[in-house]
Amino acid sequence: MKILFYGTKAYDRESFDRELDNYKNIEIDYLEDDLNKKNAQLSRGYEAVCAFVSSDVGTKTVEVLSECGVKLILMRCAGFNNVDLKAASEKGITVLRVPGYSPEAVAEHAMGLALAVNRHIHKGYIKVRENNFALNGLMGVNFYGKTAGIIGTGKIGEAMCRICRGFGMTVIAYDIYKNKNLDFVEYKPLDEVLSQSDLISLHCPLTDDNYHMINKNSISKMKDKVVLINTSRGALIDTDDLIQGIISRKFFGVGLDVYEEETKNVFEDRGNEIVETFATANLLSFPNVIITSHQGFFTEEAMEAISNTTLRNAEDFIKGSINAGNVVG
Ligand code: NAI
């Protein structure tokens, strides 16, 4: 099978090349440009393409991929909100993903963001570098003894629940389904999780149903001085409403690994450009907000698991024995 990889960086190529030795039936060509409706035509002659979180795998892209003879879209990530699954199904294209490559990688990053804003570590780091050893403005609050509200308790949410328990927090959660492994977690309706938590961390996928689930109305239900963390998908939060909430002093801190305007920025060095993402610039102007660029997944362990599962998905497809748990749609 020949696979065309889109949107690759040096670290992707190194990771996949290491794994490729174990898959003799697979050939890979790498492109740096991310998949979109214009460059989808480069897939002619390939049975499969491999895409990522920032790829545009919308209706038009899927149509072009189909015209080029592509039968398989390999998402080298867990999320798939950027794929038109209906169009793929109509064209007979299978979409496979990597559902749980390292839930701990993302959960640890979520707690990293929470600790950073909770203790102003981002400010402390800069201050000390400037020989400013004063503590003014750095007073934090303990997580110990407080309540963590986890929204979405799948693989990453489960790992986050365990981390929060390790910090001595009471852990409550909201999910459509209860996770049986989490006997120490009390499930509650969303409004109660919002109103009772000192730390709220989002770990559900973005769907049509939960677009902007954190908005003016849900923010008004939260405790004052709450810490809000989003490592899931930017559009779970209405950015304008979040900004208003921050201005009204609702949040002790906000940590975002994902944000609504991220698509053009993700994984690019735009240091010399005039970036026109106004809402993001606005968010970055607040001292109690930290933004990282979709790096929650980015650990050595996770990259190895992503390469391995993606290539195994391709091999299973060749053999006609795909892992049902990795099928999207
Ligand atoms: P998962 O599929 O194991 O768990 C998702 C959970 O969310 C499920 O228990 C599901 O029932 C629940 N859920 C679905 N809709 C919901 C709703 N409206 N309200 C509350 N709960 C809901 O997924 P996993 O692996 O835990 O990943 C979660 C999300 O994390 C992914 O969808 C992706 O968006 C994001 N992610 C972010 C990464 C990063 O680098 N920042 C890396 C990997 C995933």
Side-chain angles (χ1 to χ4, degrees):
M1 173 186 272
K2 281 180 72 183
I3 310 174
L4 184 60
F5 272 55
Y6 282 90
T8 62
K9 306 282 182 206
Y11 48 77
D12 295 306
R13 298 190 283 271
E14 281 161 24
S15 180
F16 274 93
D17 282 346
R18 259 196 306 275
E19 282 296 319
L20 199 55
D21 287 343
N22 304 319
Y23 295 88
K24 302 295 175 209
N25 298 331
I26 296 174
E27 252 178 71
I28 293 179
D29 285 322
Y30 296 108
L31 291 178
E32 287 192 11
D33 285 345
D34 214 345
L35 176 60
N36 57 47
K37 61 186 177 205
K38 286 193 189 142
N39 63 19
Q41 59 183 327
L42 297 173
S43 67
R44 196 170 296 284
Y46 293 86
E47 202 176 349
V49 294
C50 183
F52 199 47
V53 285
S54 44
S55 307
D56 162 11
V57 202
T59 317
K60 184 68 193 156
T61 305
V62 172
E63 276 170 19
V64 178
L65 291 175
S66 170
E67 280 160 23
C68 291
V70 167
K71 296 278 175 278
L72 173 66
I73 297 173
L74 293 160
M75 298 303 294
R76 52 179 192 279
C77 54
F80 49 86
N81 53 291
N82 51 336
V83 184
D84 186 334
L85 295 176
K86 190 163 164 278
S89 159
E90 281 166 10
K91 298 288 180 193
I93 297 178
T94 304
V95 182
L96 298 175
R97 66 174 181 136
V98 185
Y101 41 85
S102 177
E104 291 75 18
V106 184
E108 287 174 17
H109 192 73
M111 183 47 102
L113 289 172
L115 286 171
V117 291
N118 205 31
R119 302 304 301 270
H120 311 291
I121 291 171
H122 54 304
K123 290 174 76 184
Y125 169 75
I126 299 292
K127 278 191 169 195
V128 172
R129 284 179 72 99
E130 298 293 325
N131 292 344
N132 177 351
F133 307 103
L135 295 182
N136 301 347
L138 297 184
M139 190 183 292
V141 287
N142 288 4
F143 277 145
Y144 177 79
K146 300 280 172 50
T147 298
I150 309 302
I151 299 180
T153 52
K155 286 174 278 301
I156 297 171
E158 177 180 332
M160 186 62 174
C161 287
R162 294 187 192 291
I163 290 171
C164 292
R165 181 175 64 157
F167 272 73
M169 303 184 82
T170 299
V171 187
I172 60 176
Y174 168 73
D175 196 312
I176 309 161
Y177 304 103
K178 288 186 182 174
N179 181 333
K180 283 183 277 179
N181 299 333
L182 295 173
D183 54 5
F184 59 92
V185 171
E186 189 178 353
Y187 281 89
K188 295 186 177 238
L190 180 59
D191 281 359
E192 288 182 32
V193 172
L194 294 174
S195 64
Q196 294 173 18
S197 303
D198 302 288
L199 163 64
I200 295 174
S201 195
L202 306 182
H203 297 290
C204 53
L206 175 65
T207 64
D208 291 342
D209 297 336
N210 63 17
Y211 175 79
H212 282 182
M213 72 186 296
I214 302 299
N215 53 36
K216 193 176 173 188
N217 182 36
S218 45
I219 290 171
S220 71
K221 294 176 181 150
M222 294 177 191
K223 274 185 178 180
D224 287 342
K225 291 179 71 177
V226 64
V227 169
L228 175 68
I229 303 298
N230 187 10
T231 56
S232 267
R233 284 294 178 269
L236 290 171
I237 301 180
D238 181 323
T239 309
D240 292 336
D241 288 357
L242 176 66
I243 289 168
Q244 287 312 313
I246 294 166
I247 290 170
S248 72
R249 315 294 196 268
K250 172 60 88 177
F251 298 95
F252 191 85
V254 175
L256 307 173
D257 189 44
V258 290
Y259 52 97
E260 287 196 282
E261 293 175 326
E262 75 177 39
T263 309
K264 267 178 90 179
N265 298 345
V266 155
F267 313 135
E268 300 302 326
D269 178 354
R270 304 188 65 199
N272 290 323
E273 292 176 40
I274 293 176
V275 177
E276 294 164 2
T277 46
F278 297 114
T280 311
N282 209 341
L283 280 173
L284 285 168
S285 71
F286 300 119
N288 57 344
V289 175
I290 296 186
I291 301 184
T292 52
S293 182
H294 215 126
Q295 71 177 77
F297 74 98
F298 198 47
T299 65
E300 290 178 11
E301 292 82 355
M303 287 299 285
E304 193 182 324
I306 288 172
S307 313
N308 187 296
T309 306
T310 304
L311 295 181
R312 199 157 5 93
N313 277 343
E315 192 161 80
D316 289 348
F317 181 84
I318 298 169
K319 289 181 184 158
S321 59
I322 49 179
N323 178 343
N326 297 353
V327 179
V328 188

